[in-house]
Each structure stands twice: as structure tokens, then as C-alpha cells.
Amino acid sequence: MTSLGRRVAPVIAALALMACAPALNWRDVRPEGSGAQLLFPCKPDAQERRVALAGPPVRLALHVCEAAGQTWALAWADVADPTRVAPALAALQAGAAANVGARSAASAPQPVPGATPQATGGRTRLQGQRSDGQAVQMQTLVFARGTQVFQASVLGAALSEEAAEVYFSAIRFPP
């Protein structure tokens, strides 16, 4: 597949999916300060807070929205030190599992165009429970670009594999 084909394929898939799932209103989003470009199925709200992430507290930015009974999010932070990237990615994965009371699961590689390759990155599927005991499914993708670490996630009682695939495969860092 050509470079143009790889960039256009997620958009075509999203458009095809829109015809089947009117609750998902896919839009191109470029969260300020992230350098990333992705498709969200709803208009995300921006939030930020300070969190300890494999060392001293850092500013964690978050874009999040809800659509079709699922929560879609992209969080990122700059850990400033290249030696903190791998531990921060591992901490993001462990934190996601802990948030839904799931056992930590192995990640499957999923490259993000323009990201810095990391052995500790990848896509994880989790099954757990909400605080009220209700069953929940979660998929996350952790990746890095330089000293910035990212976690994309989708969470819901039941996840659409097709919608999750559109969401995760559309993430990229434009040249």
C-alpha cells in the first residue's frame, strides 16, 4: 500500500462505519500540544492535571468524549527524560488495567506512523469491572514520540471492534 493509501484508508473505513453506526460522528482532531492527529467519534473535551508518572509529577493532557455508550480518550504527557519513556508507558498500561480491576495483559504491537518505536508500547485488550460492579471492556494503545508518552483508549460495557479499529488505526503524527 502506498503512503497516501495508508493515510487515506482509516478515513475511508471511518466513513463506511458512519453509515452503519450513526451514533458515531467521526471527526479529525489534532489536540494542541500533542503533535498527534486522529479520528474521534465525538467532539472531545480537553482536560489536564498533574500526575506522578514513572518519576516526578508531569502535566497530563486529556481529550475525552462519549459516544454510543463508550468513552474515547487520548492522554499524553512529556516525561522530559528519555530514560523515563519505557517506565512511563508501562505505568500507563498498568494504570489502565488497575482502573478496571483487570489483570495486566500482554500488548500486541501496533505501529503508530511517526511515533518513536518502543518495546513497551502496543495495544491491549482488557476486561474488568466498573466501581459499581458492572462488567466493562477496555482497549488501550500506548506509544511515544520522543519524550512524550501517549495512551489512547476506548471503554464501555461492550466495544465495537470495528469502531475501535478505526480509532486506533487513524492515530498518526503528520510530517
Side-chain angles (χ1 to χ4, degrees):
M1 183 179 280
T2 68
S3 175
L4 177 61
R6 281 191 296 273
R7 288 187 300 218
V8 174
V11 175
I12 292 170
L15 293 173
L17 187 60
M18 282 174 34
C20 301
L24 302 179
N25 182 10
W26 294 99
R27 65 202 62 222
D28 186 60
V29 177
R30 298 173 189 228
E32 187 175 336
S34 72
Q37 181 177 359
L38 67 157
L39 295 174
F40 264 97
C42 42
K43 184 178 180 188
D45 292 321
Q47 305 171 13
E48 68 176 63
R49 62 180 180 219
R50 295 201 53 82
V51 298
L53 189 60
V58 295
R59 177 187 153 273
L60 180 78
L62 175 71
H63 273 57
V64 62
C65 64
E66 292 190 22
Q70 300 164 6
T71 302
W72 307 80
L74 177 70
W76 72 94
D78 191 337
V79 294
D81 177 356
T83 63
R84 287 179 56 195
V85 171
L89 291 173
L92 288 170
Q93 287 178 324
N99 285 342
V100 297
R103 291 190 186 105
S104 190
S107 293
Q110 179 159 345
V112 173
T116 306
Q118 293 288 327
T120 52
R123 188 165 164 187
T124 306
R125 289 170 170 79
L126 302 166
Q127 297 208 10
Q129 296 180 4
R130 294 183 188 267
S131 57
D132 63 4
Q134 189 176 31
V136 68
Q137 296 178 356
M138 182 179 207
Q139 289 190 35
T140 65
L141 174 62
V142 297
F143 53 98
R145 183 169 195 203
T147 58
Q148 282 187 309
V149 294
F150 294 81
Q151 179 186 43
S153 59
V154 59
L155 171 80
L159 300 182
S160 161
E161 192 62 38
E162 294 83 14
E165 188 60 35
V166 168
Y167 179 63
F168 292 121
S169 66
I171 301 169
R172 63 195 171 283
F173 292 94

